[in-house]
Coordinates of all heavy atoms in Angstrom, one line a residue:
M1 N 7.8 -0.5 -12.4 CA 6.9 -1.6 -11.9 C 5.8 -0.9 -11.1 O 6.0 0.0 -10.3 CB 7.7 -2.6 -11.1 CG 6.9 -3.8 -10.8 SD 7.8 -5.2 -10.1 CE 9.0 -4.5 -9.0
I2 N 4.6 -1.4 -11.3 CA 3.4 -0.9 -10.6 C 2.7 -2.0 -9.8 O 2.4 -3.0 -10.4 CB 2.4 -0.2 -11.6 CG1 3.1 0.9 -12.3 CG2 1.2 0.2 -10.8 CD1 2.3 1.4 -13.5
R3 N 2.4 -1.7 -8.5 CA 1.7 -2.7 -7.7 C 0.3 -2.1 -7.4 O 0.2 -0.9 -7.0 CB 2.4 -3.0 -6.4 CG 1.6 -3.6 -5.3 CD 1.3 -5.1 -5.5 NE 2.4 -5.9 -5.8 CZ 3.3 -6.5 -4.9 NH1 3.1 -6.2 -3.7 NH2 4.2 -7.2 -5.3
M4 N -0.7 -2.8 -7.6 CA -2.1 -2.5 -7.3 C -2.6 -3.4 -6.2 O -2.6 -4.6 -6.4 CB -3.0 -2.5 -8.5 CG -2.6 -1.7 -9.7 SD -2.7 0.1 -9.4 CE -4.5 0.3 -9.4
N5 N -3.0 -2.9 -5.1 CA -3.6 -3.7 -4.0 C -5.0 -3.2 -4.0 O -5.3 -2.1 -3.6 CB -2.9 -3.4 -2.7 CG -1.5 -3.9 -2.6 OD1 -1.2 -4.9 -3.2 ND2 -0.7 -3.2 -1.9
C6 N -5.9 -4.1 -4.4 CA -7.4 -3.8 -4.5 C -8.1 -4.6 -3.4 O -8.3 -5.8 -3.4 CB -7.9 -4.2 -5.8 SG -6.9 -3.6 -7.2
F7 N -8.4 -3.9 -2.3 CA -9.1 -4.4 -1.2 C -10.6 -4.4 -1.4 O -11.2 -3.3 -1.7 CB -8.8 -3.7 0.1 CG -7.3 -3.7 0.5 CD1 -6.5 -2.8 0.0 CD2 -6.8 -4.8 1.2 CE1 -5.1 -2.8 0.3 CE2 -5.5 -4.9 1.5 CZ -4.6 -3.9 1.0
F8 N -11.3 -5.5 -1.2 CA -12.7 -5.6 -1.5 C -13.4 -6.0 -0.2 O -13.1 -7.0 0.5 CB -13.0 -6.6 -2.6 CG -14.5 -6.7 -2.9 CD1 -15.0 -5.7 -3.8 CD2 -15.3 -7.6 -2.3 CE1 -16.3 -5.7 -4.1 CE2 -16.6 -7.6 -2.6 CZ -17.2 -6.7 -3.5
K9 N -14.5 -5.3 0.2 CA -15.4 -5.6 1.3 C -16.8 -5.9 0.7 O -17.4 -5.0 0.2 CB -15.4 -4.5 2.3 CG -16.3 -4.8 3.5 CD -16.3 -3.7 4.5 CE -17.2 -4.1 5.7 NZ -17.3 -3.0 6.6
A10 N -17.2 -7.1 0.9 CA -18.5 -7.5 0.3 C -19.7 -7.1 1.1 O -19.6 -7.0 2.4 CB -18.5 -9.1 0.2
A11 N -20.7 -6.7 0.4 CA -22.0 -6.4 1.1 C -22.5 -7.8 1.6 O -22.2 -8.8 1.2 CB -23.0 -5.8 0.1
E12 N -23.4 -7.7 2.6 CA -24.0 -8.9 3.2 C -24.6 -9.8 2.2 O -25.4 -9.4 1.3 CB -25.0 -8.5 4.3 CG -25.5 -9.7 5.1 CD -26.4 -9.3 6.3 OE1 -26.3 -8.2 6.7 OE2 -27.1 -10.2 6.7
G13 N -24.1 -11.1 2.2 CA -24.7 -12.0 1.3 C -24.1 -12.0 -0.1 O -24.5 -12.8 -1.0
R14 N -23.1 -11.2 -0.4 CA -22.6 -11.0 -1.7 C -21.1 -11.5 -1.9 O -20.6 -11.4 -3.0 CB -22.7 -9.5 -2.2 CG -24.1 -9.0 -2.2 CD -25.0 -9.7 -3.1 NE -24.6 -9.9 -4.5 CZ -24.8 -9.2 -5.5 NH1 -25.6 -8.1 -5.4 NH2 -24.4 -9.5 -6.7
Y15 N -20.6 -12.0 -0.8 CA -19.2 -12.4 -0.9 C -18.9 -13.4 -2.0 O -17.9 -13.3 -2.7 CB -18.7 -12.9 0.5 CG -17.2 -13.3 0.5 CD1 -16.3 -12.3 0.8 CD2 -16.8 -14.6 0.3 CE1 -14.9 -12.6 0.8 CE2 -15.4 -14.9 0.3 CZ -14.5 -13.9 0.6 OH -13.2 -14.1 0.6
D16 N -19.7 -14.5 -2.0 CA -19.4 -15.5 -3.0 C -19.5 -15.0 -4.4 O -18.7 -15.4 -5.3 CB -20.4 -16.7 -2.8 CG -20.1 -17.5 -1.5 OD1 -19.0 -17.4 -1.0 OD2 -21.0 -18.2 -1.1
D17 N -20.5 -14.2 -4.7 CA -20.6 -13.6 -6.1 C -19.4 -12.7 -6.4 O -18.9 -12.8 -7.5 CB -21.9 -12.7 -6.2 CG -23.2 -13.5 -6.0 OD1 -23.2 -14.7 -6.3 OD2 -24.2 -12.9 -5.6
A18 N -18.9 -11.9 -5.4 CA -17.8 -11.1 -5.7 C -16.5 -11.9 -5.9 O -15.7 -11.6 -6.8 CB -17.6 -10.1 -4.5
L19 N -16.3 -12.9 -5.0 CA -15.1 -13.7 -5.2 C -15.1 -14.5 -6.5 O -14.1 -14.6 -7.1 CB -15.0 -14.7 -4.0 CG -13.8 -15.6 -3.9 CD1 -12.5 -14.7 -3.9 CD2 -13.8 -16.5 -2.8
E20 N -16.3 -15.0 -6.9 CA -16.3 -15.7 -8.2 C -15.9 -14.7 -9.3 O -15.2 -15.1 -10.2 CB -17.8 -16.2 -8.4 CG -18.0 -17.0 -9.7 CD -19.4 -17.5 -9.8 OE1 -19.8 -18.2 -8.8 OE2 -20.0 -17.2 -10.8
A21 N -16.4 -13.5 -9.3 CA -16.0 -12.5 -10.3 C -14.5 -12.2 -10.3 O -13.8 -12.1 -11.3 CB -16.8 -11.2 -10.2
A22 N -14.0 -12.1 -9.0 CA -12.5 -11.8 -8.9 C -11.7 -12.9 -9.4 O -10.6 -12.7 -10.0 CB -12.2 -11.6 -7.4
I23 N -12.1 -14.2 -9.2 CA -11.3 -15.3 -9.6 C -11.4 -15.4 -11.2 O -10.3 -15.7 -11.8 CB -11.8 -16.6 -9.0 CG1 -11.5 -16.6 -7.5 CG2 -11.3 -17.9 -9.7 CD1 -12.1 -17.7 -6.7
A24 N -12.5 -15.1 -11.8 CA -12.6 -15.1 -13.2 C -11.8 -14.0 -13.8 O -11.0 -14.2 -14.8 CB -14.1 -14.9 -13.7
L25 N -11.8 -12.8 -13.2 CA -11.0 -11.7 -13.6 C -9.5 -12.1 -13.5 O -8.7 -11.8 -14.5 CB -11.3 -10.5 -12.8 CG -10.4 -9.2 -13.0 CD1 -10.5 -8.8 -14.5 CD2 -10.7 -8.1 -12.0
T26 N -9.1 -12.7 -12.5 CA -7.7 -13.1 -12.3 C -7.2 -14.1 -13.3 O -6.2 -13.9 -13.9 CB -7.5 -13.7 -10.8 OG1 -7.8 -12.6 -9.9 CG2 -6.1 -14.1 -10.6
A27 N -8.0 -15.1 -13.6 CA -7.7 -16.1 -14.6 C -7.4 -15.5 -16.0 O -6.4 -15.8 -16.6 CB -8.7 -17.2 -14.7
L28 N -8.3 -14.6 -16.4 CA -8.1 -13.9 -17.7 C -6.9 -12.9 -17.7 O -6.2 -12.8 -18.6 CB -9.4 -13.3 -18.1 CG -10.5 -14.3 -18.4 CD1 -11.8 -13.6 -18.6 CD2 -10.2 -15.1 -19.7
S29 N -6.8 -12.2 -16.6 CA -5.7 -11.2 -16.5 C -4.4 -11.8 -16.5 O -3.4 -11.2 -16.9 CB -6.0 -10.3 -15.2 OG -7.2 -9.7 -15.3
Q30 N -4.2 -13.0 -15.9 CA -2.9 -13.7 -15.9 C -2.3 -14.0 -17.2 O -1.2 -14.3 -17.3 CB -3.0 -14.9 -15.0 CG -3.2 -14.7 -13.6 CD -3.5 -15.9 -12.7 OE1 -3.9 -16.9 -13.2 NE2 -3.2 -15.8 -11.4
Q31 N -3.1 -13.8 -18.3 CA -2.7 -14.1 -19.6 C -2.2 -12.8 -20.4 O -1.8 -12.9 -21.5 CB -3.8 -14.7 -20.4 CG -4.3 -16.0 -19.8 CD -5.5 -16.6 -20.5 OE1 -5.7 -16.3 -21.7 NE2 -6.3 -17.3 -19.7
E32 N -2.3 -11.6 -19.7 CA -2.0 -10.4 -20.4 C -0.5 -10.1 -20.5 O 0.2 -10.4 -19.6 CB -2.7 -9.2 -19.6 CG -4.2 -9.3 -19.8 CD -4.9 -8.2 -19.1 OE1 -4.5 -7.0 -19.3 OE2 -5.8 -8.4 -18.3
D33 N -0.2 -9.3 -21.5 CA 1.2 -8.8 -21.7 C 1.5 -7.8 -20.6 O 0.6 -7.0 -20.3 CB 1.4 -8.2 -23.1 CG 1.4 -9.2 -24.2 OD1 1.7 -10.4 -23.9 OD2 1.0 -8.8 -25.3
G34 N 2.7 -7.7 -20.1 CA 3.1 -6.7 -19.2 C 2.7 -7.1 -17.7 O 3.0 -6.4 -16.8
L35 N 2.2 -8.3 -17.5 CA 1.8 -8.7 -16.2 C 3.0 -9.4 -15.5 O 3.7 -10.2 -16.2 CB 0.7 -9.7 -16.3 CG 0.3 -10.3 -14.9 CD1 -0.4 -9.3 -14.1 CD2 -0.6 -11.5 -15.1
I36 N 3.3 -9.1 -14.3 CA 4.3 -9.8 -13.5 C 3.6 -10.8 -12.5 O 4.0 -11.9 -12.4 CB 5.2 -8.7 -12.7 CG1 5.9 -7.9 -13.7 CG2 6.1 -9.5 -11.7 CD1 6.7 -6.7 -13.1
A37 N 2.5 -10.3 -11.8 CA 1.8 -11.2 -10.9 C 0.4 -10.6 -10.7 O 0.2 -9.4 -10.8 CB 2.5 -11.2 -9.6
Y38 N -0.6 -11.6 -10.5 CA -2.0 -11.2 -10.3 C -2.6 -12.3 -9.6 O -2.6 -13.5 -10.0 CB -2.6 -11.1 -11.7 CG -3.9 -10.2 -11.8 CD1 -3.9 -9.0 -12.4 CD2 -5.1 -10.6 -11.2 CE1 -5.0 -8.2 -12.5 CE2 -6.2 -9.8 -11.3 CZ -6.2 -8.6 -12.0 OH -7.3 -7.9 -12.1
D39 N -3.2 -12.1 -8.4 CA -3.8 -13.1 -7.6 C -4.8 -12.6 -6.7 O -4.8 -11.4 -6.4 CB -2.7 -14.0 -6.9 CG -3.1 -15.4 -6.7 OD1 -4.3 -15.7 -6.8 OD2 -2.3 -16.2 -6.5
V40 N -5.6 -13.5 -6.1 CA -6.7 -13.1 -5.1 C -6.3 -13.7 -3.8 O -5.9 -14.9 -3.8 CB -8.1 -13.6 -5.6 CG1 -9.1 -13.3 -4.5 CG2 -8.4 -13.1 -6.9
F41 N -6.4 -13.0 -2.7 CA -6.1 -13.5 -1.4 C -7.3 -13.2 -0.5 O -7.8 -12.1 -0.4 CB -4.9 -12.8 -0.8 CG -3.7 -13.0 -1.7 CD1 -3.3 -12.1 -2.6 CD2 -2.8 -14.1 -1.5 CE1 -2.2 -12.3 -3.4 CE2 -1.7 -14.3 -2.2 CZ -1.4 -13.4 -3.2
E42 N -7.8 -14.2 0.3 CA -8.9 -14.1 1.2 C -8.3 -13.8 2.6 O -7.3 -14.3 3.0 CB -9.7 -15.3 1.3 CG -10.5 -15.6 0.0 CD -11.3 -16.9 0.1 OE1 -12.5 -16.7 0.5 OE2 -10.8 -18.0 -0.2
S43 N -9.0 -12.9 3.3 CA -8.7 -12.6 4.7 C -8.9 -13.8 5.6 O -9.9 -14.4 5.5 CB -9.5 -11.4 5.2 OG -9.2 -11.1 6.5
A44 N -7.9 -14.0 6.5 CA -8.0 -15.0 7.5 C -8.8 -14.6 8.7 O -9.2 -15.4 9.5 CB -6.6 -15.5 7.9
T45 N -9.0 -13.3 8.9 CA -9.6 -12.7 10.1 C -11.0 -12.0 9.8 O -11.7 -11.8 10.8 CB -8.7 -11.7 10.7 OG1 -8.4 -10.7 9.8 CG2 -7.4 -12.4 11.2
R46 N -11.2 -11.7 8.6 CA -12.5 -11.0 8.3 C -13.2 -11.7 7.1 O -12.7 -11.6 6.0 CB -12.2 -9.5 8.0 CG -11.6 -8.8 9.2 CD -11.4 -7.3 8.9 NE -12.6 -6.6 8.6 CZ -12.6 -5.4 8.1 NH1 -11.5 -4.8 7.8 NH2 -13.7 -4.8 7.8
G47 N -14.3 -12.3 7.3 CA -15.0 -13.1 6.4 C -15.5 -12.4 5.2 O -15.9 -13.0 4.2
E48 N -15.6 -11.1 5.2 CA -16.2 -10.4 4.1 C -15.1 -9.7 3.2 O -15.5 -8.9 2.3 CB -17.2 -9.3 4.6 CG -16.7 -8.1 5.2 CD -16.2 -8.2 6.7 OE1 -16.1 -9.4 7.2 OE2 -15.9 -7.2 7.3
I49 N -13.9 -9.9 3.5 CA -12.8 -9.2 2.8 C -11.9 -10.1 2.0 O -11.6 -11.2 2.4 CB -11.8 -8.6 3.9 CG1 -12.6 -7.6 4.8 CG2 -10.7 -7.9 3.2 CD1 -13.1 -6.3 4.1
F50 N -11.6 -9.7 0.8 CA -10.5 -10.3 0.0 C -9.7 -9.2 -0.7 O -10.1 -8.0 -0.7 CB -11.0 -11.4 -1.0 CG -11.9 -10.9 -2.1 CD1 -11.4 -10.3 -3.2 CD2 -13.2 -11.1 -2.0 CE1 -12.2 -9.9 -4.2 CE2 -14.1 -10.7 -3.0 CZ -13.5 -10.1 -4.2
M51 N -8.6 -9.6 -1.2 CA -7.7 -8.6 -1.9 C -7.2 -9.2 -3.2 O -6.9 -10.4 -3.3 CB -6.5 -8.3 -1.1 CG -5.6 -7.3 -1.7 SD -4.1 -6.9 -0.8 CE -3.1 -8.3 -1.2
I52 N -7.2 -8.3 -4.3 CA -6.6 -8.7 -5.5 C -5.3 -7.9 -5.5 O -5.2 -6.7 -5.3 CB -7.4 -8.3 -6.7 CG1 -8.7 -9.0 -6.7 CG2 -6.6 -8.5 -8.0 CD1 -9.7 -8.6 -7.9
C53 N -4.2 -8.6 -5.7 CA -2.8 -8.0 -5.7 C -2.3 -8.2 -7.1 O -2.2 -9.3 -7.6 CB -1.9 -8.7 -4.7 SG -0.3 -8.0 -4.6
E54 N -2.0 -7.1 -7.8 CA -1.5 -7.1 -9.2 C -0.2 -6.4 -9.3 O 0.0 -5.3 -8.6 CB -2.5 -6.4 -10.2 CG -3.8 -6.2 -9.7 CD -4.7 -5.4 -10.6 OE1 -4.2 -4.9 -11.7 OE2 -5.8 -5.2 -10.3
T55 N 0.7 -6.9 -10.1 CA 2.0 -6.2 -10.4 C 2.1 -6.2 -11.9 O 2.1 -7.2 -12.6 CB 3.2 -6.9 -9.7 OG1 2.9 -7.1 -8.3 CG2 4.4 -6.1 -9.9
W56 N 2.4 -4.9 -12.4 CA 2.5 -4.7 -13.9 C 3.9 -4.1 -14.1 O 4.5 -3.4 -13.3 CB 1.4 -3.7 -14.3 CG 0.0 -4.3 -14.1 CD1 -0.8 -4.1 -13.0 CD2 -0.7 -5.2 -15.0 NE1 -1.9 -4.8 -13.2 CE2 -1.9 -5.5 -14.4 CE3 -0.4 -5.7 -16.2 CZ2 -2.8 -6.3 -15.0 CZ3 -1.3 -6.5 -16.8 CH2 -2.5 -6.8 -16.2
T57 N 4.4 -4.3 -15.4 CA 5.7 -3.8 -15.7 C 5.7 -2.3 -15.8 O 6.7 -1.6 -15.4 CB 6.1 -4.3 -17.1 OG1 5.1 -4.1 -18.1 CG2 6.4 -5.8 -17.0
D58 N 4.6 -1.7 -16.3 CA 4.5 -0.2 -16.5 C 3.1 0.3 -16.6 O 2.1 -0.5 -16.6 CB 5.4 0.2 -17.7 CG 5.0 -0.6 -19.0 OD1 3.8 -0.9 -19.2 OD2 5.9 -0.9 -19.8
E59 N 3.0 1.6 -16.7 CA 1.6 2.3 -16.9 C 0.9 1.8 -18.1 O -0.3 1.7 -18.1 CB 1.8 3.8 -16.9 CG 2.1 4.4 -15.6 CD 1.0 4.4 -14.6 OE1 -0.2 4.2 -15.0 OE2 1.3 4.6 -13.4
E60 N 1.6 1.6 -19.2 CA 1.0 1.1 -20.5 C 0.3 -0.2 -20.3 O -0.8 -0.4 -20.8 CB 2.0 1.1 -21.6 CG 2.5 2.5 -22.0 CD 3.6 3.1 -21.1 OE1 4.2 2.3 -20.3 OE2 3.7 4.3 -21.1
A61 N 1.0 -1.1 -19.6 CA 0.4 -2.5 -19.4 C -0.8 -2.4 -18.5 O -1.9 -3.0 -18.8 CB 1.4 -3.4 -18.8
L62 N -0.8 -1.6 -17.5 CA -1.9 -1.4 -16.6 C -3.1 -0.7 -17.3 O -4.2 -1.2 -17.2 CB -1.5 -0.5 -15.4 CG -2.6 -0.2 -14.4 CD1 -3.3 -1.4 -13.8 CD2 -2.1 0.7 -13.3
A63 N -2.8 0.3 -18.1 CA -3.8 1.0 -18.9 C -4.5 0.0 -19.9 O -5.7 0.0 -20.0 CB -3.3 2.2 -19.6
A64 N -3.7 -0.8 -20.5 CA -4.3 -1.8 -21.5 C -5.2 -2.8 -20.7 O -6.2 -3.1 -21.2 CB -3.1 -2.5 -22.2
H65 N -4.7 -3.2 -19.6 CA -5.5 -4.1 -18.7 C -6.9 -3.5 -18.4 O -7.9 -4.2 -18.5 CB -4.8 -4.4 -17.4 CG -5.6 -5.1 -16.4 ND1 -6.2 -6.3 -16.5 CD2 -6.0 -4.6 -15.2 CE1 -6.9 -6.6 -15.4 NE2 -6.8 -5.6 -14.6
M66 N -6.9 -2.3 -18.1 CA -8.1 -1.6 -17.7 C -9.1 -1.4 -18.8 O -10.3 -1.1 -18.6 CB -7.8 -0.3 -17.0 CG -7.1 -0.5 -15.6 SD -6.5 1.0 -14.8 CE -8.0 1.7 -14.3
Q67 N -8.6 -1.6 -20.0 CA -9.5 -1.4 -21.2 C -10.0 -2.8 -21.7 O -10.8 -2.8 -22.6 CB -8.7 -0.7 -22.4 CG -8.4 0.7 -22.0 CD -9.6 1.5 -21.7 OE1 -10.6 1.5 -22.4 NE2 -9.5 2.3 -20.6
T68 N -9.6 -3.9 -21.1 CA -10.1 -5.2 -21.6 C -11.5 -5.4 -21.2 O -12.0 -4.9 -20.2 CB -9.2 -6.3 -21.0 OG1 -9.4 -6.3 -19.5 CG2 -7.7 -6.2 -21.4
E69 N -12.2 -6.2 -22.0 CA -13.6 -6.6 -21.7 C -13.7 -7.3 -20.4 O -14.7 -7.1 -19.6 CB -14.2 -7.4 -22.8 CG -14.5 -6.5 -24.0 CD -15.4 -5.3 -23.7 OE1 -16.5 -5.5 -23.1 OE2 -15.1 -4.2 -24.2
H70 N -12.8 -8.2 -20.1 CA -12.9 -9.0 -18.8 C -12.7 -8.0 -17.6 O -13.5 -8.2 -16.6 CB -12.0 -10.2 -18.7 CG -10.5 -9.9 -18.9 ND1 -9.9 -9.9 -20.2 CD2 -9.6 -9.5 -18.0 CE1 -8.6 -9.6 -20.0 NE2 -8.4 -9.4 -18.7
F71 N -11.9 -7.0 -17.7 CA -11.8 -6.1 -16.6 C -13.1 -5.3 -16.4 O -13.6 -5.2 -15.3 CB -10.6 -5.1 -16.8 CG -10.5 -4.1 -15.7 CD1 -9.9 -4.3 -14.5 CD2 -11.0 -2.8 -16.0 CE1 -9.8 -3.3 -13.6 CE2 -10.9 -1.8 -15.0 CZ -10.3 -2.1 -13.8
K72 N -13.6 -4.8 -17.5 CA -14.8 -4.0 -17.4 C -16.0 -4.9 -16.9 O -16.8 -4.4 -16.0 CB -15.2 -3.4 -18.8 CG -14.2 -2.4 -19.2 CD -14.5 -1.9 -20.6 CE -13.5 -1.0 -21.2 NZ -13.7 -0.6 -22.6
T73 N -16.1 -6.1 -17.4 CA -17.2 -7.0 -17.0 C -17.2 -7.4 -15.6 O -18.1 -7.2 -14.8 CB -17.3 -8.2 -17.9 OG1 -17.5 -7.8 -19.3 CG2 -18.4 -9.1 -17.5
Y74 N -16.0 -8.0 -15.2 CA -15.9 -8.5 -13.8 C -15.7 -7.4 -12.8 O -16.2 -7.6 -11.7 CB -14.8 -9.6 -13.8 CG -15.2 -10.8 -14.5 CD1 -14.4 -11.2 -15.6 CD2 -16.3 -11.6 -14.2 CE1 -14.8 -12.3 -16.4 CE2 -16.6 -12.7 -14.9 CZ -15.9 -13.1 -16.0 OH -16.2 -14.2 -16.8
G75 N -15.1 -6.3 -13.2 CA -14.9 -5.2 -12.3 C -16.3 -4.6 -11.9 O -16.6 -4.3 -10.8
A76 N -17.2 -4.5 -12.9 CA -18.5 -4.0 -12.7 C -19.3 -5.0 -11.8 O -20.1 -4.5 -10.9 CB -19.3 -3.8 -14.0
Q77 N -19.2 -6.3 -12.0 CA -19.8 -7.2 -11.1 C -19.4 -7.1 -9.7 O -20.2 -7.2 -8.8 CB -19.6 -8.7 -11.7 CG -20.3 -9.0 -12.9 CD -20.0 -10.4 -13.4 OE1 -19.5 -11.2 -12.7 NE2 -20.4 -10.7 -14.6
M78 N -18.1 -6.9 -9.5 CA -17.6 -6.8 -8.1 C -18.1 -5.5 -7.5 O -18.5 -5.5 -6.3 CB -16.1 -6.7 -8.1 CG -15.5 -8.1 -8.4 SD -13.7 -8.1 -8.6 CE -13.2 -7.3 -7.1
Q79 N -18.2 -4.4 -8.3 CA -18.7 -3.1 -7.7 C -20.1 -3.3 -7.3 O -20.5 -2.6 -6.3 CB -18.6 -2.0 -8.8 CG -17.2 -1.6 -9.2 CD -16.6 -0.7 -8.1 OE1 -17.3 -0.1 -7.3 NE2 -15.3 -0.4 -8.3
E80 N -20.9 -4.1 -7.9 CA -22.3 -4.3 -7.5 C -22.4 -5.1 -6.2 O -23.5 -5.1 -5.6 CB -23.0 -5.1 -8.6 CG -23.2 -4.4 -9.9 CD -23.8 -5.2 -11.0 OE1 -24.2 -6.4 -10.7 OE2 -23.9 -4.8 -12.1
C81 N -21.3 -5.8 -5.8 CA -21.4 -6.6 -4.6 C -20.7 -6.0 -3.4 O -20.8 -6.7 -2.3 CB -20.6 -7.9 -4.9 SG -21.4 -8.9 -6.2
G82 N -20.2 -4.8 -3.4 CA -19.6 -4.3 -2.3 C -18.7 -3.1 -2.6 O -18.9 -2.4 -3.6
E83 N -17.7 -2.8 -1.7 CA -16.9 -1.7 -1.8 C -15.4 -2.1 -2.2 O -14.9 -3.1 -1.6 CB -16.8 -0.9 -0.5 CG -18.1 -0.3 0.0 CD -17.9 0.3 1.4 OE1 -16.9 1.0 1.6 OE2 -18.8 0.1 2.2
L84 N -14.8 -1.3 -3.0 CA -13.4 -1.5 -3.4 C -12.6 -0.3 -3.1 O -12.9 0.8 -3.3 CB -13.4 -1.8 -4.9 CG -12.1 -2.3 -5.6 CD1 -11.8 -3.6 -5.0 CD2 -12.3 -2.3 -7.1
K85 N -11.4 -0.6 -2.4 CA -10.4 0.4 -2.1 C -9.1 0.0 -2.8 O -8.7 -1.1 -2.7 CB -10.2 0.5 -0.6 CG -9.2 1.5 -0.2 CD -8.9 1.4 1.3 CE -7.7 2.3 1.6 NZ -7.1 2.1 2.9
I86 N -8.6 0.9 -3.5 CA -7.4 0.6 -4.3 C -6.2 1.4 -3.8 O -6.3 2.7 -3.6 CB -7.6 0.9 -5.8 CG1 -8.8 0.1 -6.3 CG2 -6.4 0.7 -6.6 CD1 -9.2 0.4 -7.7
E87 N -5.0 0.8 -3.6 CA -3.8 1.4 -3.3 C -2.9 1.2 -4.6 O -2.7 0.0 -5.0 CB -3.1 0.8 -2.1 CG -3.9 0.9 -0.8 CD -3.2 0.2 0.3 OE1 -2.3 -0.6 0.1 OE2 -3.6 0.5 1.4
K88 N -2.2 2.2 -5.1 CA -1.3 2.1 -6.2 C 0.1 2.5 -5.7 O 0.3 3.6 -5.2 CB -1.8 3.0 -7.3 CG -1.0 2.9 -8.6 CD -1.5 3.8 -9.7 CE -0.7 3.8 -10.9 NZ -1.2 4.7 -12.0
L89 N 1.0 1.6 -6.0 CA 2.4 1.9 -5.6 C 3.3 1.8 -6.8 O 3.2 0.8 -7.6 CB 2.8 0.8 -4.6 CG 1.9 0.7 -3.4 CD1 1.9 -0.7 -2.8 CD2 2.4 1.7 -2.3
N90 N 4.1 2.7 -7.0 CA 5.1 2.7 -8.1 C 6.5 2.4 -7.6 O 6.9 3.0 -6.6 CB 5.1 4.1 -8.8 CG 3.8 4.4 -9.6 OD1 3.4 3.6 -10.4 ND2 3.2 5.5 -9.2
F91 N 7.2 1.5 -8.3 CA 8.5 1.1 -7.9 C 9.5 1.5 -9.0 O 9.2 1.4 -10.1 CB 8.6 -0.4 -7.6 CG 7.7 -0.9 -6.5 CD1 6.5 -1.4 -6.8 CD2 8.2 -0.8 -5.2 CE1 5.7 -1.8 -5.7 CE2 7.4 -1.3 -4.2 CZ 6.1 -1.8 -4.4

Protein backbone atom coordinates (compact mmCIF):
# COMPACT_ATOMS: atom_id res chain seq x y z
CA MET A 1 0.00 0.00 0.00
CA ILE A 2 1.22 3.48 -0.86
CA ARG A 3 0.14 6.76 0.73
CA MET A 4 0.77 10.06 -1.01
CA ASN A 5 0.35 13.26 1.01
CA CYS A 6 0.41 16.17 -1.43
CA PHE A 7 0.60 19.51 0.40
CA PHE A 8 -0.32 22.54 -1.71
CA LYS A 9 0.43 26.18 -0.91
CA ALA A 10 -1.37 28.58 -3.23
CA ALA A 11 0.18 31.72 -4.62
CA GLU A 12 -1.64 34.91 -3.66
CA GLY A 13 -5.06 35.05 -5.29
CA ARG A 14 -4.81 31.52 -6.77
CA TYR A 15 -6.28 29.37 -4.00
CA ASP A 16 -9.74 29.00 -5.54
CA ASP A 17 -8.31 28.04 -8.95
CA ALA A 18 -6.02 25.46 -7.37
CA LEU A 19 -8.75 24.00 -5.16
CA GLU A 20 -11.12 23.72 -8.12
CA ALA A 21 -8.47 21.75 -10.05
CA ALA A 22 -7.80 19.54 -7.00
CA ILE A 23 -11.49 18.74 -6.58
CA ALA A 24 -11.86 17.87 -10.28
CA LEU A 25 -8.74 15.68 -10.09
CA THR A 26 -10.10 13.95 -7.00
CA ALA A 27 -13.50 13.22 -8.53
CA LEU A 28 -11.95 11.54 -11.57
CA SER A 29 -9.23 9.76 -9.60
CA GLN A 30 -11.77 8.19 -7.26
CA GLN A 31 -12.92 6.04 -10.19
CA GLU A 32 -9.52 4.45 -10.87
CA ASP A 33 -8.52 0.83 -10.35
CA GLY A 34 -6.15 0.25 -7.46
CA LEU A 35 -7.42 3.21 -5.48
CA ILE A 36 -8.11 2.78 -1.77
CA ALA A 37 -8.78 6.45 -0.85
CA TYR A 38 -8.38 9.89 -2.44
CA ASP A 39 -9.61 13.18 -0.99
CA VAL A 40 -8.84 16.88 -0.53
CA PHE A 41 -8.53 18.48 2.92
CA GLU A 42 -8.38 22.23 3.60
CA SER A 43 -6.25 23.64 6.41
CA ALA A 44 -8.18 25.03 9.36
CA THR A 45 -5.29 27.32 10.34
CA ARG A 46 -3.68 28.47 7.07
CA GLY A 47 -5.95 29.87 4.36
CA GLU A 48 -3.58 29.19 1.48
CA ILE A 49 -2.98 25.49 2.23
CA PHE A 50 -4.79 22.29 1.29
CA MET A 51 -3.73 18.66 1.02
CA ILE A 52 -4.60 15.82 -1.30
CA CYS A 53 -4.31 12.50 0.50
CA GLU A 54 -4.20 9.40 -1.73
CA THR A 55 -3.82 5.72 -0.91
CA TRP A 56 -3.07 3.17 -3.64
CA THR A 57 -2.82 -0.61 -3.56
CA ASP A 58 0.63 -0.70 -5.20
CA GLU A 59 3.21 1.07 -7.41
CA GLU A 60 1.49 -0.10 -10.59
CA ALA A 61 -1.79 1.58 -9.64
CA LEU A 62 0.01 4.81 -8.72
CA ALA A 63 2.03 4.77 -11.95
CA ALA A 64 -1.14 4.24 -13.99
CA HIS A 65 -2.79 7.16 -12.18
CA MET A 66 0.13 9.44 -13.02
CA GLN A 67 -0.31 8.64 -16.73
CA THR A 68 -3.99 9.60 -16.89
CA GLU A 69 -5.06 12.69 -18.78
CA HIS A 70 -6.90 14.08 -15.76
CA PHE A 71 -3.75 13.80 -13.59
CA LYS A 72 -1.65 15.56 -16.22
CA THR A 73 -4.23 18.27 -16.89
CA TYR A 74 -5.27 19.14 -13.36
CA GLY A 75 -1.80 18.56 -11.93
CA ALA A 76 -0.42 21.13 -14.38
CA GLN A 77 -3.17 23.59 -13.46
CA MET A 78 -2.30 23.23 -9.79
CA GLN A 79 1.43 23.71 -10.49
CA GLU A 80 0.57 27.05 -12.14
CA CYS A 81 -1.20 28.19 -8.97
CA GLY A 82 1.44 27.57 -6.32
CA GLU A 83 3.84 25.09 -4.74
CA LEU A 84 3.37 21.37 -4.20
CA LYS A 85 5.26 19.26 -1.66
CA ILE A 86 4.82 15.49 -1.82
CA GLU A 87 5.42 12.87 0.87
CA LYS A 88 5.38 9.23 -0.23
CA LEU A 89 4.93 6.48 2.35
CA ASN A 90 5.07 2.76 1.66
CA PHE A 91 3.23 0.34 3.95
